[in-house]
Short mmCIF file of all heavy atoms in Angstrom, two decimals:
data_model
loop_
_atom_site.label_atom_id
_atom_site.label_comp_id
_atom_site.label_asym_id
_atom_site.label_seq_id
_atom_site.Cartn_x
_atom_site.Cartn_y
_atom_site.Cartn_z
N MET A 1 46.20 1.70 -19.26
CA MET A 1 46.35 1.06 -20.55
C MET A 1 45.69 -0.32 -20.54
O MET A 1 45.10 -0.73 -21.52
CB MET A 1 47.83 0.97 -20.91
CG MET A 1 48.10 0.33 -22.23
SD MET A 1 47.54 1.23 -23.65
CE MET A 1 48.98 2.13 -24.06
N SER A 2 45.81 -1.02 -19.41
CA SER A 2 45.26 -2.37 -19.35
C SER A 2 43.73 -2.35 -19.40
O SER A 2 43.11 -3.27 -19.95
CB SER A 2 45.73 -3.10 -18.10
OG SER A 2 45.35 -2.40 -16.94
N LEU A 3 43.12 -1.28 -18.88
CA LEU A 3 41.66 -1.18 -18.95
C LEU A 3 41.20 -1.00 -20.40
O LEU A 3 40.25 -1.65 -20.84
CB LEU A 3 41.20 0.00 -18.09
CG LEU A 3 39.71 0.15 -17.82
CD1 LEU A 3 39.13 -1.10 -17.16
CD2 LEU A 3 39.46 1.36 -16.95
N LEU A 4 41.90 -0.17 -21.13
CA LEU A 4 41.58 0.04 -22.54
C LEU A 4 41.80 -1.24 -23.35
O LEU A 4 40.91 -1.67 -24.10
CB LEU A 4 42.44 1.17 -23.12
CG LEU A 4 42.36 1.39 -24.63
CD1 LEU A 4 40.95 1.74 -25.07
CD2 LEU A 4 43.34 2.47 -25.05
N LEU A 5 42.95 -1.87 -23.18
CA LEU A 5 43.25 -3.08 -23.95
C LEU A 5 42.36 -4.25 -23.56
O LEU A 5 41.87 -4.99 -24.42
CB LEU A 5 44.72 -3.45 -23.79
CG LEU A 5 45.72 -2.46 -24.36
CD1 LEU A 5 47.14 -2.90 -24.06
CD2 LEU A 5 45.51 -2.28 -25.85
N GLY A 6 42.13 -4.42 -22.27
CA GLY A 6 41.27 -5.51 -21.81
C GLY A 6 39.84 -5.34 -22.27
O GLY A 6 39.19 -6.30 -22.71
N GLY A 7 39.33 -4.12 -22.17
CA GLY A 7 37.96 -3.85 -22.63
C GLY A 7 37.80 -4.04 -24.13
O GLY A 7 36.82 -4.61 -24.60
N THR A 8 38.80 -3.59 -24.87
CA THR A 8 38.76 -3.74 -26.33
C THR A 8 38.84 -5.21 -26.73
O THR A 8 38.07 -5.67 -27.59
CB THR A 8 39.91 -2.94 -26.98
OG1 THR A 8 39.80 -1.58 -26.59
CG2 THR A 8 39.87 -3.05 -28.48
N ALA A 9 39.75 -5.93 -26.11
CA ALA A 9 39.89 -7.36 -26.43
C ALA A 9 38.63 -8.13 -26.02
O ALA A 9 38.17 -9.01 -26.76
CB ALA A 9 41.11 -7.94 -25.72
N GLY A 10 38.08 -7.79 -24.87
CA GLY A 10 36.86 -8.46 -24.43
C GLY A 10 35.69 -8.20 -25.36
O GLY A 10 34.93 -9.11 -25.70
N THR A 11 35.56 -6.96 -25.79
CA THR A 11 34.48 -6.61 -26.72
C THR A 11 34.65 -7.33 -28.05
O THR A 11 33.70 -7.90 -28.59
CB THR A 11 34.44 -5.08 -26.95
OG1 THR A 11 34.28 -4.43 -25.69
CG2 THR A 11 33.29 -4.70 -27.85
N ALA A 12 35.86 -7.32 -28.57
CA ALA A 12 36.13 -8.01 -29.84
C ALA A 12 35.85 -9.50 -29.73
O ALA A 12 35.24 -10.10 -30.63
CB ALA A 12 37.57 -7.76 -30.27
N ALA A 13 36.27 -10.10 -28.63
CA ALA A 13 36.04 -11.54 -28.45
C ALA A 13 34.54 -11.85 -28.37
O ALA A 13 34.07 -12.83 -28.96
CB ALA A 13 36.74 -12.03 -27.19
N LEU A 14 33.79 -11.02 -27.67
CA LEU A 14 32.35 -11.25 -27.56
C LEU A 14 31.65 -11.09 -28.90
O LEU A 14 30.71 -11.81 -29.21
CB LEU A 14 31.75 -10.31 -26.51
CG LEU A 14 32.10 -10.64 -25.06
CD1 LEU A 14 31.68 -9.51 -24.14
CD2 LEU A 14 31.44 -11.95 -24.63
N ILE A 15 32.12 -10.15 -29.69
CA ILE A 15 31.50 -9.94 -31.01
C ILE A 15 31.84 -11.09 -31.95
O ILE A 15 30.96 -11.62 -32.65
CB ILE A 15 31.95 -8.58 -31.60
CG1 ILE A 15 31.32 -7.44 -30.81
CG2 ILE A 15 31.58 -8.48 -33.08
CD1 ILE A 15 31.88 -6.08 -31.14
N VAL A 16 33.10 -11.50 -31.96
CA VAL A 16 33.54 -12.52 -32.91
C VAL A 16 33.08 -13.92 -32.50
O VAL A 16 32.49 -14.65 -33.30
CB VAL A 16 35.08 -12.49 -33.07
CG1 VAL A 16 35.58 -13.67 -33.88
CG2 VAL A 16 35.51 -11.18 -33.71
N TRP A 17 33.33 -14.30 -31.26
CA TRP A 17 33.07 -15.68 -30.86
C TRP A 17 31.71 -15.91 -30.20
O TRP A 17 31.14 -16.97 -30.34
CB TRP A 17 34.18 -16.19 -29.95
CG TRP A 17 35.46 -16.35 -30.71
CD1 TRP A 17 35.67 -17.17 -31.79
CD2 TRP A 17 36.69 -15.69 -30.49
NE1 TRP A 17 36.95 -17.04 -32.25
CE2 TRP A 17 37.61 -16.14 -31.46
CE3 TRP A 17 37.12 -14.76 -29.56
CZ2 TRP A 17 38.91 -15.70 -31.52
CZ3 TRP A 17 38.43 -14.31 -29.62
CH2 TRP A 17 39.30 -14.78 -30.59
N ALA A 18 31.21 -14.92 -29.49
CA ALA A 18 29.92 -15.11 -28.82
C ALA A 18 28.77 -14.54 -29.63
O ALA A 18 27.62 -14.59 -29.21
CB ALA A 18 29.95 -14.48 -27.43
N ARG A 19 29.08 -13.95 -30.77
CA ARG A 19 28.08 -13.45 -31.72
C ARG A 19 27.20 -12.33 -31.16
O ARG A 19 26.03 -12.22 -31.49
CB ARG A 19 27.18 -14.59 -32.22
CG ARG A 19 27.91 -15.73 -32.87
CD ARG A 19 28.31 -15.34 -34.24
NE ARG A 19 28.90 -16.52 -34.89
CZ ARG A 19 29.68 -16.41 -35.91
NH1 ARG A 19 29.94 -15.25 -36.40
NH2 ARG A 19 30.20 -17.48 -36.45
N TYR A 20 27.79 -11.48 -30.29
CA TYR A 20 27.07 -10.29 -29.85
C TYR A 20 27.03 -9.31 -31.01
O TYR A 20 27.92 -9.30 -31.85
CB TYR A 20 27.78 -9.64 -28.66
CG TYR A 20 27.51 -10.31 -27.34
CD1 TYR A 20 28.26 -11.40 -26.93
CD2 TYR A 20 26.50 -9.84 -26.51
CE1 TYR A 20 28.01 -12.01 -25.72
CE2 TYR A 20 26.25 -10.44 -25.29
CZ TYR A 20 27.01 -11.52 -24.90
OH TYR A 20 26.77 -12.12 -23.69
N PRO A 21 26.01 -8.44 -31.08
CA PRO A 21 25.98 -7.45 -32.16
C PRO A 21 27.15 -6.49 -32.07
O PRO A 21 27.56 -6.12 -30.97
CB PRO A 21 24.67 -6.69 -31.93
CG PRO A 21 23.87 -7.51 -30.98
CD PRO A 21 24.83 -8.36 -30.23
N ALA A 22 27.69 -6.08 -33.20
CA ALA A 22 28.83 -5.16 -33.21
C ALA A 22 28.40 -3.74 -32.88
O ALA A 22 29.19 -2.95 -32.39
CB ALA A 22 29.51 -5.19 -34.56
N SER A 23 27.14 -3.40 -33.13
CA SER A 23 26.66 -2.06 -32.84
C SER A 23 26.41 -1.91 -31.34
O SER A 23 25.70 -2.70 -30.74
CB SER A 23 25.36 -1.80 -33.61
OG SER A 23 24.83 -0.56 -33.24
N MET A 24 26.99 -0.87 -30.76
CA MET A 24 26.81 -0.63 -29.32
C MET A 24 25.69 0.35 -29.04
O MET A 24 25.46 0.73 -27.90
CB MET A 24 28.11 -0.12 -28.69
CG MET A 24 29.21 -1.15 -28.72
SD MET A 24 28.77 -2.60 -27.75
CE MET A 24 29.61 -3.87 -28.67
N VAL A 25 24.98 0.77 -30.08
CA VAL A 25 23.81 1.63 -29.92
C VAL A 25 22.60 0.88 -30.45
O VAL A 25 22.73 -0.06 -31.22
CB VAL A 25 23.98 2.98 -30.66
CG1 VAL A 25 25.12 3.77 -30.08
CG2 VAL A 25 24.19 2.77 -32.14
N GLY A 26 21.42 1.32 -30.05
CA GLY A 26 20.21 0.68 -30.54
C GLY A 26 20.01 0.93 -32.02
O GLY A 26 20.11 2.07 -32.48
N VAL A 27 19.76 -0.11 -32.78
CA VAL A 27 19.52 0.01 -34.21
C VAL A 27 18.10 -0.48 -34.49
O VAL A 27 17.76 -1.63 -34.17
CB VAL A 27 20.54 -0.84 -35.01
CG1 VAL A 27 20.24 -0.77 -36.50
CG2 VAL A 27 21.95 -0.39 -34.72
N PRO A 28 17.24 0.40 -35.05
CA PRO A 28 15.87 -0.04 -35.34
C PRO A 28 15.85 -1.25 -36.27
O PRO A 28 16.59 -1.31 -37.24
CB PRO A 28 15.25 1.18 -36.03
CG PRO A 28 16.10 2.34 -35.64
CD PRO A 28 17.47 1.78 -35.42
N GLY A 29 15.04 -2.22 -35.91
CA GLY A 29 14.90 -3.42 -36.73
C GLY A 29 15.88 -4.53 -36.42
O GLY A 29 15.76 -5.62 -36.96
N ALA A 30 16.85 -4.28 -35.59
CA ALA A 30 17.83 -5.32 -35.24
C ALA A 30 17.19 -6.34 -34.32
O ALA A 30 16.38 -6.01 -33.46
CB ALA A 30 19.05 -4.71 -34.58
N GLU A 31 17.55 -7.61 -34.52
CA GLU A 31 17.00 -8.69 -33.69
C GLU A 31 17.41 -8.54 -32.23
O GLU A 31 16.61 -8.73 -31.33
CB GLU A 31 17.48 -10.04 -34.20
CG GLU A 31 16.71 -10.57 -35.37
CD GLU A 31 17.20 -11.96 -35.74
OE1 GLU A 31 17.49 -12.76 -34.84
OE2 GLU A 31 17.28 -12.23 -36.94
N VAL A 32 18.69 -8.25 -32.02
CA VAL A 32 19.24 -8.17 -30.67
C VAL A 32 19.89 -6.80 -30.49
O VAL A 32 20.53 -6.30 -31.40
CB VAL A 32 20.30 -9.27 -30.45
CG1 VAL A 32 20.89 -9.18 -29.06
CG2 VAL A 32 19.69 -10.64 -30.68
N SER A 33 19.70 -6.22 -29.33
CA SER A 33 20.33 -4.94 -29.01
C SER A 33 21.28 -5.14 -27.84
O SER A 33 20.99 -5.92 -26.93
CB SER A 33 19.27 -3.91 -28.65
OG SER A 33 19.86 -2.74 -28.13
N ASN A 34 22.38 -4.43 -27.84
CA ASN A 34 23.31 -4.50 -26.72
C ASN A 34 22.86 -3.63 -25.55
O ASN A 34 23.47 -3.65 -24.50
CB ASN A 34 24.71 -4.05 -27.16
CG ASN A 34 25.46 -5.17 -27.83
OD1 ASN A 34 25.44 -6.31 -27.40
ND2 ASN A 34 26.14 -4.85 -28.92
N LEU A 35 21.79 -2.86 -25.75
CA LEU A 35 21.38 -1.91 -24.72
C LEU A 35 20.12 -2.30 -23.96
O LEU A 35 19.90 -1.79 -22.87
CB LEU A 35 21.18 -0.52 -25.36
CG LEU A 35 22.43 0.08 -25.99
CD1 LEU A 35 22.10 1.43 -26.59
CD2 LEU A 35 23.52 0.22 -24.96
N ASN A 36 19.29 -3.12 -24.52
CA ASN A 36 18.03 -3.43 -23.86
C ASN A 36 17.75 -4.93 -23.90
O ASN A 36 17.20 -5.42 -24.86
CB ASN A 36 16.89 -2.67 -24.55
CG ASN A 36 15.61 -2.73 -23.74
OD1 ASN A 36 15.61 -3.02 -22.55
ND2 ASN A 36 14.51 -2.44 -24.42
N PRO A 37 18.08 -5.66 -22.89
CA PRO A 37 18.79 -5.28 -21.67
C PRO A 37 20.28 -5.16 -21.96
O PRO A 37 20.78 -5.71 -22.95
CB PRO A 37 18.53 -6.45 -20.73
CG PRO A 37 18.37 -7.63 -21.61
CD PRO A 37 17.71 -7.10 -22.87
N PRO A 38 21.03 -4.44 -21.10
CA PRO A 38 22.46 -4.30 -21.33
C PRO A 38 23.16 -5.65 -21.35
O PRO A 38 22.86 -6.54 -20.57
CB PRO A 38 22.93 -3.48 -20.12
CG PRO A 38 21.71 -2.81 -19.62
CD PRO A 38 20.57 -3.72 -19.93
N THR A 39 24.09 -5.80 -22.27
CA THR A 39 24.81 -7.07 -22.42
C THR A 39 26.24 -6.93 -21.91
O THR A 39 26.73 -5.83 -21.64
CB THR A 39 24.87 -7.49 -23.90
OG1 THR A 39 25.61 -6.50 -24.62
CG2 THR A 39 23.48 -7.65 -24.50
N LEU A 40 26.91 -8.04 -21.81
CA LEU A 40 28.31 -8.05 -21.40
C LEU A 40 29.17 -7.30 -22.41
O LEU A 40 30.15 -6.65 -22.04
CB LEU A 40 28.80 -9.49 -21.25
CG LEU A 40 30.19 -9.69 -20.69
CD1 LEU A 40 30.33 -9.03 -19.32
CD2 LEU A 40 30.51 -11.17 -20.58
N ALA A 41 28.79 -7.32 -23.67
CA ALA A 41 29.54 -6.58 -24.70
C ALA A 41 29.46 -5.08 -24.44
O ALA A 41 30.45 -4.36 -24.61
CB ALA A 41 29.02 -6.91 -26.09
N ALA A 42 28.32 -4.59 -24.01
CA ALA A 42 28.18 -3.16 -23.69
C ALA A 42 29.05 -2.80 -22.48
O ALA A 42 29.65 -1.72 -22.42
CB ALA A 42 26.73 -2.81 -23.43
N VAL A 43 29.14 -3.70 -21.52
CA VAL A 43 29.96 -3.46 -20.34
C VAL A 43 31.44 -3.42 -20.72
O VAL A 43 32.17 -2.50 -20.30
CB VAL A 43 29.70 -4.53 -19.27
CG1 VAL A 43 30.67 -4.40 -18.12
CG2 VAL A 43 28.27 -4.44 -18.76
N THR A 44 31.91 -4.36 -21.51
CA THR A 44 33.32 -4.37 -21.89
C THR A 44 33.67 -3.16 -22.76
O THR A 44 34.75 -2.60 -22.65
CB THR A 44 33.72 -5.68 -22.61
OG1 THR A 44 32.89 -5.85 -23.76
CG2 THR A 44 33.58 -6.87 -21.69
N PHE A 45 32.73 -2.75 -23.60
CA PHE A 45 32.94 -1.55 -24.41
C PHE A 45 33.04 -0.31 -23.51
O PHE A 45 33.89 0.56 -23.73
CB PHE A 45 31.81 -1.40 -25.42
CG PHE A 45 32.00 -0.29 -26.40
CD1 PHE A 45 32.99 -0.35 -27.36
CD2 PHE A 45 31.18 0.83 -26.37
CE1 PHE A 45 33.17 0.68 -28.27
CE2 PHE A 45 31.36 1.86 -27.28
CZ PHE A 45 32.35 1.80 -28.22
N GLY A 46 32.21 -0.24 -22.50
CA GLY A 46 32.28 0.86 -21.54
C GLY A 46 33.60 0.88 -20.79
O GLY A 46 34.16 1.95 -20.53
N LEU A 47 34.11 -0.29 -20.44
CA LEU A 47 35.41 -0.37 -19.78
C LEU A 47 36.52 0.15 -20.69
O LEU A 47 37.42 0.87 -20.24
CB LEU A 47 35.71 -1.80 -19.35
CG LEU A 47 34.85 -2.34 -18.20
CD1 LEU A 47 35.12 -3.82 -18.01
CD2 LEU A 47 35.09 -1.56 -16.93
N ALA A 48 36.44 -0.19 -21.96
CA ALA A 48 37.44 0.30 -22.92
C ALA A 48 37.36 1.82 -23.02
O ALA A 48 38.39 2.51 -23.06
CB ALA A 48 37.22 -0.34 -24.29
N GLN A 49 36.15 2.37 -23.05
CA GLN A 49 36.00 3.82 -23.12
C GLN A 49 36.54 4.50 -21.87
O GLN A 49 37.17 5.56 -21.96
CB GLN A 49 34.53 4.18 -23.31
CG GLN A 49 34.00 3.87 -24.68
CD GLN A 49 32.54 4.25 -24.82
OE1 GLN A 49 31.75 4.07 -23.89
NE2 GLN A 49 32.18 4.77 -25.97
N CYS A 50 36.32 3.91 -20.71
CA CYS A 50 36.86 4.46 -19.47
C CYS A 50 38.39 4.45 -19.51
O CYS A 50 39.03 5.43 -19.08
CB CYS A 50 36.36 3.67 -18.26
SG CYS A 50 34.63 3.95 -17.90
N GLY A 51 38.97 3.38 -20.01
CA GLY A 51 40.42 3.31 -20.13
C GLY A 51 40.96 4.38 -21.06
O GLY A 51 41.98 5.02 -20.77
N LEU A 52 40.28 4.62 -22.17
CA LEU A 52 40.70 5.67 -23.10
C LEU A 52 40.58 7.04 -22.45
O LEU A 52 41.48 7.88 -22.58
CB LEU A 52 39.87 5.60 -24.38
CG LEU A 52 40.19 6.65 -25.44
CD1 LEU A 52 41.64 6.48 -25.93
CD2 LEU A 52 39.21 6.54 -26.59
N ALA A 53 39.50 7.28 -21.75
CA ALA A 53 39.31 8.58 -21.08
C ALA A 53 40.41 8.82 -20.05
O ALA A 53 40.92 9.95 -19.93
CB ALA A 53 37.93 8.62 -20.42
N LEU A 54 40.78 7.79 -19.31
CA LEU A 54 41.84 7.95 -18.32
C LEU A 54 43.20 8.24 -18.97
O LEU A 54 43.99 9.01 -18.45
CB LEU A 54 41.93 6.71 -17.43
CG LEU A 54 40.77 6.54 -16.45
CD1 LEU A 54 40.85 5.17 -15.77
CD2 LEU A 54 40.77 7.65 -15.42
N LEU A 55 43.44 7.63 -20.12
CA LEU A 55 44.70 7.89 -20.84
C LEU A 55 44.76 9.31 -21.41
O LEU A 55 45.82 9.91 -21.50
CB LEU A 55 44.89 6.88 -21.97
CG LEU A 55 45.29 5.48 -21.56
CD1 LEU A 55 45.31 4.57 -22.80
CD2 LEU A 55 46.65 5.48 -20.90
N LEU A 56 43.60 9.83 -21.80
CA LEU A 56 43.56 11.16 -22.43
C LEU A 56 43.40 12.29 -21.43
O LEU A 56 43.47 13.46 -21.81
CB LEU A 56 42.41 11.22 -23.45
CG LEU A 56 42.57 10.33 -24.68
CD1 LEU A 56 41.33 10.43 -25.55
CD2 LEU A 56 43.81 10.73 -25.45
N ARG A 57 43.20 11.98 -20.17
CA ARG A 57 42.91 13.01 -19.16
C ARG A 57 44.02 14.06 -19.06
O ARG A 57 43.74 15.26 -19.15
CB ARG A 57 42.69 12.35 -17.81
CG ARG A 57 42.26 13.31 -16.74
CD ARG A 57 41.99 12.61 -15.47
NE ARG A 57 43.24 12.04 -14.97
CZ ARG A 57 43.35 11.41 -13.83
NH1 ARG A 57 42.30 11.24 -13.07
NH2 ARG A 57 44.51 10.93 -13.42
N ARG A 58 45.25 13.65 -18.90
CA ARG A 58 46.35 14.62 -18.76
C ARG A 58 46.59 15.45 -20.02
O ARG A 58 46.71 16.68 -19.95
CB ARG A 58 47.62 13.92 -18.33
CG ARG A 58 47.61 13.58 -16.87
CD ARG A 58 48.99 13.14 -16.38
NE ARG A 58 48.93 12.81 -14.98
CZ ARG A 58 49.23 11.64 -14.47
NH1 ARG A 58 49.65 10.67 -15.27
NH2 ARG A 58 49.16 11.43 -13.18
N PRO A 59 46.66 14.81 -21.20
CA PRO A 59 46.85 15.64 -22.41
C PRO A 59 45.71 16.63 -22.64
O PRO A 59 45.95 17.76 -23.06
CB PRO A 59 46.92 14.61 -23.54
CG PRO A 59 47.28 13.33 -22.91
CD PRO A 59 46.73 13.39 -21.52
N LEU A 60 44.49 16.22 -22.36
CA LEU A 60 43.37 17.14 -22.55
C LEU A 60 43.40 18.28 -21.54
O LEU A 60 43.06 19.42 -21.87
CB LEU A 60 42.04 16.38 -22.46
CG LEU A 60 41.72 15.49 -23.65
CD1 LEU A 60 40.44 14.71 -23.42
CD2 LEU A 60 41.61 16.32 -24.92
N ARG A 61 43.79 18.00 -20.31
CA ARG A 61 43.93 19.07 -19.32
C ARG A 61 44.96 20.10 -19.78
O ARG A 61 44.75 21.29 -19.65
CB ARG A 61 44.35 18.50 -17.97
CG ARG A 61 43.20 18.05 -17.15
CD ARG A 61 43.67 17.78 -15.74
NE ARG A 61 42.54 17.29 -14.98
CZ ARG A 61 42.65 16.66 -13.84
NH1 ARG A 61 43.83 16.43 -13.32
NH2 ARG A 61 41.58 16.24 -13.20
N ARG A 62 46.08 19.61 -20.29
CA ARG A 62 47.12 20.52 -20.79
C ARG A 62 46.59 21.37 -21.94
O ARG A 62 46.82 22.58 -21.99
CB ARG A 62 48.35 19.75 -21.24
CG ARG A 62 49.37 19.60 -20.16
CD ARG A 62 50.66 18.97 -20.67
NE ARG A 62 50.53 17.51 -20.51
CZ ARG A 62 50.65 16.63 -21.46
NH1 ARG A 62 50.95 17.00 -22.68
NH2 ARG A 62 50.48 15.35 -21.23
N ALA A 63 45.87 20.74 -22.85
CA ALA A 63 45.36 21.46 -24.02
C ALA A 63 44.32 22.50 -23.60
O ALA A 63 44.26 23.59 -24.18
CB ALA A 63 44.75 20.49 -25.01
N LEU A 64 43.53 22.18 -22.61
CA LEU A 64 42.46 23.09 -22.21
C LEU A 64 42.93 24.20 -21.27
O LEU A 64 42.14 25.04 -20.87
CB LEU A 64 41.31 22.31 -21.57
CG LEU A 64 40.55 21.43 -22.57
CD1 LEU A 64 39.47 20.64 -21.86
CD2 LEU A 64 39.95 22.28 -23.67
N ARG A 65 44.21 24.23 -20.95
CA ARG A 65 44.76 25.37 -20.20
C ARG A 65 44.84 26.61 -21.08
O ARG A 65 44.91 27.73 -20.58
CB ARG A 65 46.14 25.03 -19.66
CG ARG A 65 46.08 24.13 -18.48
CD ARG A 65 47.45 23.93 -17.87
NE ARG A 65 47.39 22.86 -16.89
CZ ARG A 65 48.32 21.95 -16.72
NH1 ARG A 65 49.41 21.98 -17.45
NH2 ARG A 65 48.18 21.00 -15.82
N ARG A 66 44.84 26.40 -22.39
CA ARG A 66 44.86 27.54 -23.32
C ARG A 66 43.47 28.18 -23.35
O ARG A 66 42.46 27.49 -23.54
CB ARG A 66 45.23 27.08 -24.72
CG ARG A 66 46.63 26.54 -24.80
CD ARG A 66 47.00 26.18 -26.22
NE ARG A 66 47.85 25.01 -26.16
CZ ARG A 66 47.68 23.91 -26.86
NH1 ARG A 66 46.69 23.81 -27.71
NH2 ARG A 66 48.50 22.90 -26.73
N PRO A 67 43.39 29.50 -23.18
CA PRO A 67 42.09 30.17 -23.13
C PRO A 67 41.23 29.97 -24.38
O PRO A 67 40.01 29.82 -24.28
CB PRO A 67 42.45 31.64 -22.96
CG PRO A 67 43.81 31.65 -22.39
CD PRO A 67 44.50 30.41 -22.92
N VAL A 68 41.84 29.92 -25.55
CA VAL A 68 41.06 29.76 -26.78
C VAL A 68 40.42 28.37 -26.83
O VAL A 68 39.25 28.23 -27.18
CB VAL A 68 41.95 29.99 -28.02
CG1 VAL A 68 41.19 29.68 -29.30
CG2 VAL A 68 42.46 31.43 -28.04
N ALA A 69 41.17 27.35 -26.45
CA ALA A 69 40.62 25.99 -26.44
C ALA A 69 39.50 25.88 -25.42
O ALA A 69 38.44 25.28 -25.70
CB ALA A 69 41.72 24.97 -26.16
N TRP A 70 39.71 26.44 -24.24
CA TRP A 70 38.68 26.38 -23.21
C TRP A 70 37.43 27.14 -23.66
O TRP A 70 36.31 26.69 -23.44
CB TRP A 70 39.20 26.94 -21.89
CG TRP A 70 38.16 26.91 -20.84
CD1 TRP A 70 37.49 27.97 -20.32
CD2 TRP A 70 37.60 25.75 -20.20
NE1 TRP A 70 36.57 27.54 -19.40
CE2 TRP A 70 36.62 26.19 -19.31
CE3 TRP A 70 37.85 24.39 -20.33
CZ2 TRP A 70 35.88 25.30 -18.52
CZ3 TRP A 70 37.11 23.52 -19.55
CH2 TRP A 70 36.16 23.97 -18.66
N ALA A 71 37.60 28.29 -24.29
CA ALA A 71 36.45 29.06 -24.77
C ALA A 71 35.67 28.26 -25.82
O ALA A 71 34.43 28.30 -25.84
CB ALA A 71 36.92 30.38 -25.35
N ALA A 72 36.36 27.53 -26.68
CA ALA A 72 35.67 26.72 -27.69
C ALA A 72 34.84 25.63 -27.04
O ALA A 72 33.69 25.39 -27.43
CB ALA A 72 36.68 26.10 -28.66
N VAL A 73 35.40 24.97 -26.03
CA VAL A 73 34.65 23.94 -25.32
C VAL A 73 33.45 24.54 -24.61
O VAL A 73 32.34 24.00 -24.66
CB VAL A 73 35.57 23.20 -24.31
CG1 VAL A 73 34.77 22.29 -23.40
CG2 VAL A 73 36.64 22.41 -25.05
N ALA A 74 33.64 25.67 -23.97
CA ALA A 74 32.53 26.34 -23.27
C ALA A 74 31.44 26.74 -24.24
O ALA A 74 30.25 26.59 -23.94
CB ALA A 74 33.05 27.52 -22.48
N LEU A 75 31.82 27.24 -25.40
CA LEU A 75 30.84 27.66 -26.40
C LEU A 75 30.02 26.48 -26.91
O LEU A 75 28.79 26.55 -27.00
CB LEU A 75 31.54 28.36 -27.58
CG LEU A 75 30.63 28.81 -28.71
CD1 LEU A 75 29.68 29.90 -28.21
CD2 LEU A 75 31.46 29.33 -29.87
N VAL A 76 30.69 25.38 -27.23
CA VAL A 76 29.98 24.18 -27.68
C VAL A 76 29.05 23.67 -26.60
O VAL A 76 27.93 23.24 -26.87
CB VAL A 76 30.99 23.09 -28.13
CG1 VAL A 76 30.29 21.77 -28.37
CG2 VAL A 76 31.72 23.54 -29.38
N ASN A 77 29.49 23.73 -25.36
CA ASN A 77 28.66 23.29 -24.25
C ASN A 77 27.39 24.15 -24.12
O ASN A 77 26.33 23.64 -23.77
CB ASN A 77 29.46 23.32 -22.95
CG ASN A 77 28.78 22.53 -21.86
OD1 ASN A 77 28.07 21.57 -22.13
ND2 ASN A 77 29.00 22.94 -20.63
N LEU A 78 27.48 25.44 -24.39
CA LEU A 78 26.32 26.31 -24.32
C LEU A 78 25.31 26.01 -25.42
O LEU A 78 24.12 26.28 -25.26
CB LEU A 78 26.76 27.78 -24.41
CG LEU A 78 27.48 28.33 -23.18
CD1 LEU A 78 27.98 29.73 -23.48
CD2 LEU A 78 26.55 28.32 -21.98
N LEU A 79 25.77 25.48 -26.54
CA LEU A 79 24.89 25.21 -27.69
C LEU A 79 24.00 24.00 -27.49
O LEU A 79 23.06 23.79 -28.23
CB LEU A 79 25.72 25.04 -28.96
CG LEU A 79 26.51 26.27 -29.39
CD1 LEU A 79 27.37 25.94 -30.60
CD2 LEU A 79 25.58 27.43 -29.68
N ARG A 80 24.30 23.20 -26.50
CA ARG A 80 23.52 21.98 -26.27
C ARG A 80 22.18 22.32 -25.75
O ARG A 80 21.50 22.67 -25.15
CB ARG A 80 24.24 21.07 -25.33
CG ARG A 80 25.48 20.52 -25.94
CD ARG A 80 26.20 19.60 -25.04
NE ARG A 80 25.22 18.87 -24.27
CZ ARG A 80 25.47 18.02 -23.29
NH1 ARG A 80 26.65 17.80 -22.95
NH2 ARG A 80 24.56 17.41 -22.64
#
């Protein structure tokens, strides 16, 4: 939980007070990008995403024990 909250708070603080761009993906025509070169805001956003993934790991494992849910994930994965 602390990884998610810390990453989110860090990202918000960098956007609000340090004036980093709010977009975490490359936007054509933008003066500054968070991705090229990677900025501290991109790192804190990644930390928040890792925290969220860790929190969702157990519930998602439980949900994917059902054959229908697992088949849906497998099917979507094949479409890529």
Side-chain angles (χ1 to χ4, degrees):
M1 181 67 93
S2 60
L3 191 57
L4 172 61
L5 295 177
T8 302
T11 303
L14 288 169
I15 290 170
V16 171
W17 291 300
R19 303 282 185 200
Y20 280 86
S23 175
M24 294 297 147
V25 296
V27 177
E31 279 184 39
V32 179
S33 170
N34 278 317
L35 298 179
N36 192 19
T39 63
L40 186 57
V43 172
T44 57
F45 186 68
L47 291 172
Q49 288 180 322
C50 288
L52 179 62
L54 288 171
L55 286 175
L56 293 177
R57 186 177 65 176
R58 283 192 180 121
L60 287 176
R61 273 192 183 162
R62 267 187 270 124
L64 291 178
R65 284 187 191 140
R66 295 184 215 129
V68 174
W70 179 252
V73 170
L75 178 65
V76 170
N77 195 29
L78 289 174
L79 297 176
R80 292 181 35 186

